[in-house]
Amino acid sequence: MSTAQPSEWQRRIAGEWHGRPSLFDATGTWQGYEDIRRSSVFEDGVTTYYMDGGMEGGGPLAGRFRLGAPFAFGVADSDTDRVYTGPDFFGTGRPYGSFVDAHYYGPGWQVDLNTWNQVLPDGETQVYSSLLYQGPAVVGCFNGLYTRDPAKVADWPAAETGNGPVPHILPTKTPGAFSGSCEVFGADQKPRGAVEITVELEPLDLLRTRRHVTWSGALDRRYTADVRRDGFRSFHEGPDAWGNAQAYGRANHPSLHFRDVWKLKGREFMIDAVPGMAAGSTMAVAYELFEGNVLSAVVHGVLRWS
């Protein structure tokens, strides 16, 4: 399929993006890196994605995620459903402003992928994660940060090398809150306005924190949950939200059920997490909200600690 002009999402991601996403196994254990130079080129009405790089490490997953040639695949460019036409990926992606939720299959990797790409407000940083599936089972995850800022490209791989394996852990001794304004889109991909999100942390001990969460604006919700961390896993144990989460490095993926008909799945990526004893202070969040089992809203933005 060809169009006269690139879509809004295509314009957002124009140029070459550089990253070094980490590979994790299903348990959240770090395995290695994938050096990537990624670009999407709109030319003569046709969009083609290119990815070049290589695997370093990978452990037992190395054979599955090494490919003896660069990736290239066509895209039917659209701001509704973007269709990936192969030969390296087949499926679809749906943008919601500066965030896209993509579901597709990679024959070379032999996995089904659910990829979330979130372009941050600076327009030059992209938060990327791909959950990798064999049928319904997660077999691994790639995630990391990308930049297309020429001034940062040279130092970016070294930073991602150090920071990629760092686990997602929130402050464990100091009370405070992550807060910020996030964009809201309906399932119809139309903007619904902004929601102010505050995640107030009340540490109970080194492994348990009471979270008081407030959403106000385009969406209104307030809930409290005691969250228990067990390695890369965590558990929301009521009274207002129940569920669990799995972290892959800096990215935590919660799945929550509230006391009414609403459900949430999301990704919480600690942007500035570095090796050491401290937690990060800037978290890019993306949430999908379901009324019953039907997608109702998509929320994304950046929260900062105070």
Side-chain angles (χ1 to χ4, degrees):
M1 179 184 295
S2 65
T3 57
Q5 297 294 328
S7 66
E8 180 180 350
W9 173 258
Q10 185 60 39
R11 291 192 294 269
R12 287 181 190 274
I13 61 171
E16 186 172 67
W17 295 81
H18 294 252
R20 200 168 200 240
S22 284
L23 173 63
F24 303 86
D25 69 13
T27 71
T29 302
W30 179 83
Q31 298 290 312
Y33 300 101
E34 180 83 359
D35 290 291
I36 290 293
R37 295 172 299 281
R38 186 180 70 207
S39 61
S40 52
V41 178
F42 181 86
E43 189 173 29
D44 298 328
V46 177
T47 300
T48 305
Y49 270 60
Y50 299 97
M51 292 194 298
D52 195 6
M55 174 72 68
E56 180 178 318
L61 300 175
R64 187 166 195 167
F65 296 110
R66 288 183 66 90
L67 192 70
F71 282 110
F73 59 100
V75 180
D77 183 28
S78 169
D79 279 316
T80 53
D81 288 304
R82 299 168 60 77
V83 181
Y84 308 140
T85 60
D88 293 331
F89 292 113
F90 294 91
T92 60
R94 174 164 278 203
Y96 302 88
S98 59
F99 167 80
V100 70
D101 180 1
H103 299 255
Y104 52 102
Y105 184 74
W109 285 350
Q110 301 178 88
V111 289
D112 197 62
L113 297 92
N114 181 195
T115 295
W116 284 14
N117 273 330
Q118 178 183 3
V119 179
L120 297 187
D122 66 6
E124 303 295 334
T125 307
Q126 193 172 130
V127 183
Y128 156 83
S129 67
S130 282
L131 290 173
L132 313 168
Y133 291 88
Q134 176 74 40
V138 173
V139 297
C141 177
F142 280 111
N143 68 44
L145 300 176
Y146 281 82
T147 186
R148 63 177 172 186
D149 184 344
K152 297 180 179 179
V153 165
D155 297 329
W156 203 261
E160 285 295 278
T161 298
N163 300 337
V166 174
H168 177 102
I169 297 176
L170 300 184
T172 56
K173 292 185 177 180
T174 305
F178 285 93
S179 59
S181 180
C182 296
E183 296 180 87
V184 181
F185 290 80
D188 59 4
Q189 300 173 279
K190 295 179 180 179
R192 289 188 183 174
V195 59
E196 300 294 324
I197 297 180
T198 299
V199 182
E200 182 183 351
L201 303 183
E202 179 189 344
L204 303 176
D205 56 38
L206 293 177
L207 297 175
R208 296 184 304 132
T209 300
R210 183 162 295 144
R211 297 187 190 178
H212 306 281
V213 180
T214 303
W215 295 30
S216 60
L219 294 169
D220 288 291
R221 178 167 293 271
R222 183 187 300 268
Y223 66 92
T224 294
D226 287 352
V227 182
R228 174 174 54 88
R229 181 172 61 85
D230 178 10
F232 303 127
R233 306 179 303 167
S234 56
F235 303 87
H236 289 66
E237 299 176 331
D240 302 323
W242 299 84
N244 56 25
Q246 174 70 49
Y248 303 95
R250 295 163 289 175
N252 187 55
H253 294 257
S255 177
L256 303 183
H257 301 259
F258 300 109
R259 296 176 67 91
D260 53 18
V261 72
W262 290 89
K263 305 176 181 68
L264 173 152
K265 72 172 184 176
R267 182 189 68 193
E268 301 163 335
F269 195 106
M270 197 65 73
I271 296 293
D272 54 354
V274 298
M277 299 297 287
S281 61
T282 304
M283 188 163 59
V285 299
Y287 299 114
E288 294 185 343
L289 297 171
F290 297 83
E291 187 174 8
N293 291 320
V294 179
L295 179 66
S296 176
V298 176
V299 177
H300 55 83
V302 178
L303 309 182
R304 292 181 170 84
W305 174 255
S306 62

